[in-house]
Amino acid sequence: MKLAALLTATLLLAGSAIPVDARAQPRHGLSAFGDLKHPPGFSHFDYVNPNAPKGGELRSWQLETFDNLNPLILKGVSAQNLSLTFQSLMARGKGEPDAVYADLAESAELAPDRSWAAFTINPKARFSDGSPVTAEDVVFTIEATQKDGHPLYQLILRDVESVTAESRLRVVFRFADTESRRDMPLTVAQLPILSKAWFRNRDFTTPTMEPVLGSGPYRISRIDAGRSLVFERVKDWWARDLPVNKGRYNFDWYRDDYYRDREIAFEAFFAGEYDFREEVTARHWAASYTNKPAFNDGRVKREVLKDETPSGVQAWFLNSRKPHLNDARVRQAINLAYDYEWANKTLFYGLYKRTRSMFENSDLAATGLPSAAERDLLEPFRDRVPPEVFTTEFQPPRTDGSGNNRANLKQAQQLLLAAGWVIRDGKLVDAKGKPFELEFMLYEPSFQRIINPFARNLERIGITISIRVVDLASFENRMRNFDYDVMSRRFVQPLTPGIEQRNYWASRSAATVGSFNFSGVNDPVVDDLIEHIVKARNRDELRAATRALDRVLMWGWYVVPHWYSGTVKLGYWDRFGRPAQKPAYDVGLTDTWWVDPTKDKALNLQRQR
């Protein structure tokens, strides 16, 4: 069916006719607030080299292991970078906060009130086995994910009321009558699309080590179960000349090797086993490069790139579902026992800044006292939130960095006593004499050196500490079922927060297995503020809502915040070329860099697949 005819037709969704509004014209891109940098007919993103040479191999590393190649389900441990094998209806523009542009879909239509969105699939679209991508594949992907997908996806897709294949290439979504309509078109536009035919005789819910059929720029060509995954560039990829893909995906091969130990992985890098690493260990960055011959003679480079994205929520999450952690005074006391200033000086070489917001490194973070717009959102809850939300800028507890944390520990003990705990024989116990026990759950032993000083301070105020290191599969299982006291985790905040905040903080997600509500936040005030984020009509309203939510969460002491850099620290073997301009909101290495043949030949690193 032609687009011109569709503009005067009716959309049949869930058995009821929805008239196509004359203003719902086909468009080449979407964004939350309608702001698109690239006009119709643009040739390529401005952060790529459209003439970048193809060829060569990029090798990376991942921590731990994998046993599942279906990224949309909860079971198993999914491999990294599976997105290379899939496409979505529209592709993200990494130089903009929330823009997406035509990819599998050649155009989109959007109701003025965002109650529905329609996508017309490019008739050239093909899966990597040559079979066509159709609207039925989109319907299958959405419905299977809503029914049996990862709870994260189930939560964000709950307001998709229906998805209908109106024709072979046209798919129409209708969204529930909620304020989440702002984000839903972008949400469905960015999901990886699976093949309905491929799953006809396969169980969608079962982890698989068989590569799932996709339509992306790469296919999986070799699997060493749990150890490595090799992606091969699809040479005749149908979408290679689309504006969103020109100059991207330049490596013929992309390989991920999995290591169970960070130290071994670091040494493997300098042995030439892989090509680059984003350095997240301060000790490695500050002290472990300069004694390596490959760095000293210039074969390995270090580089600091500006990070313009929110730094993400990285913290020790305190599981408030546990009775001994459901009192904010107790959680504040635990915060007071962490001496970040000493740790940054002694363990981190002074390289980090303290995280003080759930939206750190962005203008969405709360600073100073609440603005008038924030107060308007918070005022109805004045008697249900800590008074500091209105009167005091949140700052994590501070010390002088000397290692003497006595004043904070004294305050922590007072808070614990006020919460009903008592000291008996040097141990903190409840009214029945049961000791206050706190277990830190880890899946990598190297983090123990960071926890140990924290644990000693907690023991000084009477808390019995244990540190349990489990394998990744056990960690994932316990995390999904919220079977922990304290665990370290990080998740990334989007540039335009929206419905995903329900998964992070909403009461409903606190009881949803597999959600990211790691601290078990269960507060109607938080629920209300999340909905203000979801329904924000412009960036000013969005900022006010995120900052108000930020204040309530931080003053609830649900986490012991970690640290952030505000930069991306890269170490890499000097064998690459890259565009003059980096994407504002991404490193760009894996999809915009390329192998420089001259540099590569000079290095003469041995390759193996």
Side-chain angles (χ1 to χ4, degrees):
M1 189 179 294
K2 300 294 185 182
L3 283 174
L6 289 173
L7 289 173
T8 56
T10 58
L11 301 182
L12 299 178
L13 292 175
S16 60
I18 300 178
V20 176
D21 193 290
R23 291 171 291 173
Q25 299 293 328
R27 57 182 74 190
H28 72 297
L30 301 171
S31 76
F33 302 118
D35 304 319
L36 292 175
K37 182 177 184 179
H38 298 283
F42 77 100
S43 60
H44 57 81
F45 289 132
D46 56 6
Y47 51 80
V48 305
N49 172 6
N51 301 312
K54 307 291 186 185
E57 181 183 32
L58 176 66
R59 300 172 303 172
S60 182
W61 78 287
Q62 305 295 337
L63 189 64
E64 281 292 342
T65 187
F66 65 94
D67 61 10
N68 175 36
L69 299 180
N70 181 351
L72 294 181
I73 63 173
L74 175 64
K75 295 177 182 178
V77 179
S78 289
Q80 299 296 313
N81 291 310
L82 294 176
S83 59
L84 291 170
T85 67
F86 297 103
Q87 280 179 283
S88 50
L89 292 168
M90 309 194 95
R92 180 184 161 216
K94 296 179 181 179
E96 302 160 79
D98 55 28
V100 294
Y101 295 92
D103 197 11
L104 268 177
E106 63 181 6
S107 66
E109 297 162 48
L110 190 60
D113 63 355
R114 299 197 173 213
S115 59
W116 59 265
F119 299 88
T120 300
I121 296 170
N122 192 315
K124 298 178 181 178
R126 294 290 185 274
F127 289 106
S128 60
D129 68 348
S131 60
V133 181
T134 71
E136 289 291 348
D137 296 308
V138 180
V139 172
F140 165 78
T141 300
I142 299 299
E143 291 184 343
T145 304
Q146 284 181 313
K147 180 176 181 289
D148 296 312
H150 194 292
L152 166 63
Y153 292 115
Q154 291 180 331
L155 280 168
I156 65 176
L157 291 176
R158 73 179 189 183
D159 290 331
V160 176
E161 199 167 79
S162 66
V163 53
T164 303
E166 190 189 58
S167 68
R168 192 177 76 87
L169 295 177
R170 182 180 172 86
V171 62
V172 183
F173 293 83
R174 183 168 66 180
F175 307 119
D177 187 19
T178 69
E179 299 291 354
S180 67
R181 287 177 176 175
R182 186 198 76 198
D183 293 333
M184 289 310 303
L186 276 77
T187 298
V188 299
Q190 294 181 80
L191 280 178
I193 300 304
L194 311 179
S195 166
K196 178 180 180 180
W198 192 86
F199 275 100
R200 185 167 292 125
N201 298 312
R202 295 174 175 89
D203 183 0
F204 176 82
T205 67
T206 301
T208 179
M209 289 297 285
E210 180 183 9
V212 178
L213 182 62
S215 62
Y218 290 85
R219 62 168 64 91
I220 295 173
S221 64
R222 179 180 167 186
I223 304 166
D224 186 356
R227 296 187 177 188
S228 68
L229 205 58
V230 177
F231 301 84
E232 177 186 6
R233 186 167 63 86
V234 179
K235 301 292 176 57
D236 59 348
W237 185 37
W238 78 272
R240 62 186 179 275
D241 293 324
L242 293 180
V244 294
N245 297 319
K246 282 185 180 178
R248 301 176 66 199
Y249 311 117
N250 301 315
F251 303 102
D252 280 349
W253 307 90
Y254 181 90
R255 175 180 175 131
D256 267 333
D257 289 326
Y258 286 74
Y259 294 83
R260 293 183 180 274
D261 185 275
R262 288 185 185 271
E263 298 302 318
I264 294 174
F266 183 77
E267 294 303 324
F269 171 65
F270 279 96
E273 294 297 319
Y274 59 94
D275 295 312
F276 80 98
R277 51 187 288 118
E278 181 179 341
E279 202 59 75
V280 297
T281 303
R283 175 171 51 85
H284 285 158
W285 185 259
S288 300
Y289 276 70
T290 53
N291 63 351
K292 303 293 186 182
F295 175 74
N296 291 328
D297 64 22
R299 288 175 294 154
V300 167
K301 301 290 187 183
R302 279 193 311 186
E303 188 167 356
V304 179
L305 302 177
K306 184 178 181 181
D307 183 5
E308 299 181 57
T309 63
S311 290
V313 181
Q314 179 175 314
W316 284 295
F317 287 83
L318 306 177
N319 189 357
S320 66
R321 302 172 186 84
K322 298 291 183 106
H324 61 308
L325 293 172
N326 65 6
D327 190 316
R329 293 170 294 184
V330 171
R331 300 193 296 269
Q332 182 181 358
I334 293 171
N335 268 268
L336 282 158
Y338 181 54
D339 191 343
Y340 164 77
E341 283 70 28
W342 177 89
N344 192 36
K345 180 176 68 173
T346 307
L347 301 176
F348 305 146
Y349 298 84
L351 290 176
Y352 293 126
K353 306 171 188 175
R354 184 75 191 273
T355 299
R356 42 163 298 282
S357 167
M358 299 299 188
F359 302 93
E360 192 60 79
N361 202 43
S362 78
D363 68 349
L364 304 172
T367 58
L369 298 181
S371 66
E374 292 172 64
R375 288 197 303 273
D376 287 344
L377 297 177
L378 292 166
E379 191 61 43
F381 311 113
R382 181 175 282 273
D383 61 344
R384 296 161 62 185
V385 298
E388 293 88 350
V389 166
F390 292 91
T391 63
T392 310
E393 179 182 33
F394 178 83
Q395 293 288 347
R398 293 183 60 85
T399 71
D400 61 9
S402 67
N404 183 354
N405 196 22
R406 187 175 302 170
N408 281 358
L409 294 181
K410 183 177 180 180
Q411 183 183 351
Q413 202 161 65
Q414 290 171 344
L415 285 166
L416 290 165
L417 295 176
W421 296 87
V422 297
I423 297 292
R424 187 175 299 164
D425 298 326
K427 296 293 184 182
L428 203 65
V429 299
D430 64 15
K432 297 180 180 179
K434 182 180 179 181
F436 191 126
E437 297 176 335
L438 202 62
E439 179 185 89
F440 286 79
M441 184 177 71
L442 303 174
Y443 66 88
E444 50 175 322
S446 62
F447 213 70
Q448 288 186 79
R449 76 183 188 95
I450 297 172
I451 293 178
N452 284 335
F454 185 19
R456 286 194 292 270
N457 278 340
L458 290 167
E459 288 171 339
R460 288 187 182 111
I461 57 176
I463 297 176
T464 301
I465 299 297
S466 61
I467 300 174
R468 176 171 294 190
V469 182
V470 300
D471 62 81
L472 182 60
S474 298
F475 182 91
E476 293 275 352
N477 185 60
R478 289 184 61 181
M479 178 185 71
R480 291 166 183 165
N481 291 282
F482 314 120
D483 181 20
Y484 51 84
D485 292 335
V486 187
M487 70 162 185
S488 175
R489 206 62 172 160
R490 180 178 184 267
F491 57 81
V492 177
Q493 286 281 17
L495 292 155
T496 303
I499 56 177
E500 76 291 325
Q501 301 300 308
R502 295 171 178 163
N503 183 52
Y504 300 161
W505 318 115
S507 299
R508 176 172 174 171
S509 66
T512 301
V513 172
S515 84
F516 280 18
N517 191 344
F518 300 132
S519 291
V521 180
N522 186 353
D523 183 350
V525 175
V526 169
D527 296 341
D528 183 86
L529 294 173
I530 290 172
E531 296 314 304
H532 281 285
I533 291 173
V534 169
K535 70 182 182 183
R537 296 166 296 181
N538 53 58
R539 292 211 168 265
D540 287 339
E541 291 186 0
L542 182 68
R543 274 189 292 270
T546 59
R547 291 173 179 178
L549 175 65
D550 197 17
R551 296 178 193 280
V552 173
L553 290 172
M554 297 310 291
W555 282 111
W557 302 100
Y558 293 103
V559 303
V560 180
H562 281 183
W563 42 85
Y564 75 102
S565 170
T567 61
V568 177
K569 297 177 176 66
L570 285 183
Y572 59 90
W573 285 86
D574 189 20
R575 52 186 298 266
F576 301 108
R578 55 176 159 170
Q581 178 181 337
K582 166 188 167 297
Y585 302 116
D586 197 82
V587 174
L589 190 156
T590 56
D591 70 330
T592 69
W593 290 27
W594 60 87
V595 171
D596 182 307
T598 302
K599 292 181 178 180
D600 191 44
K601 185 177 181 180
L603 283 176
N604 193 30
L605 290 175
Q606 296 298 313
R607 305 277 123 179
Q608 64 174 8
R609 279 186 290 276

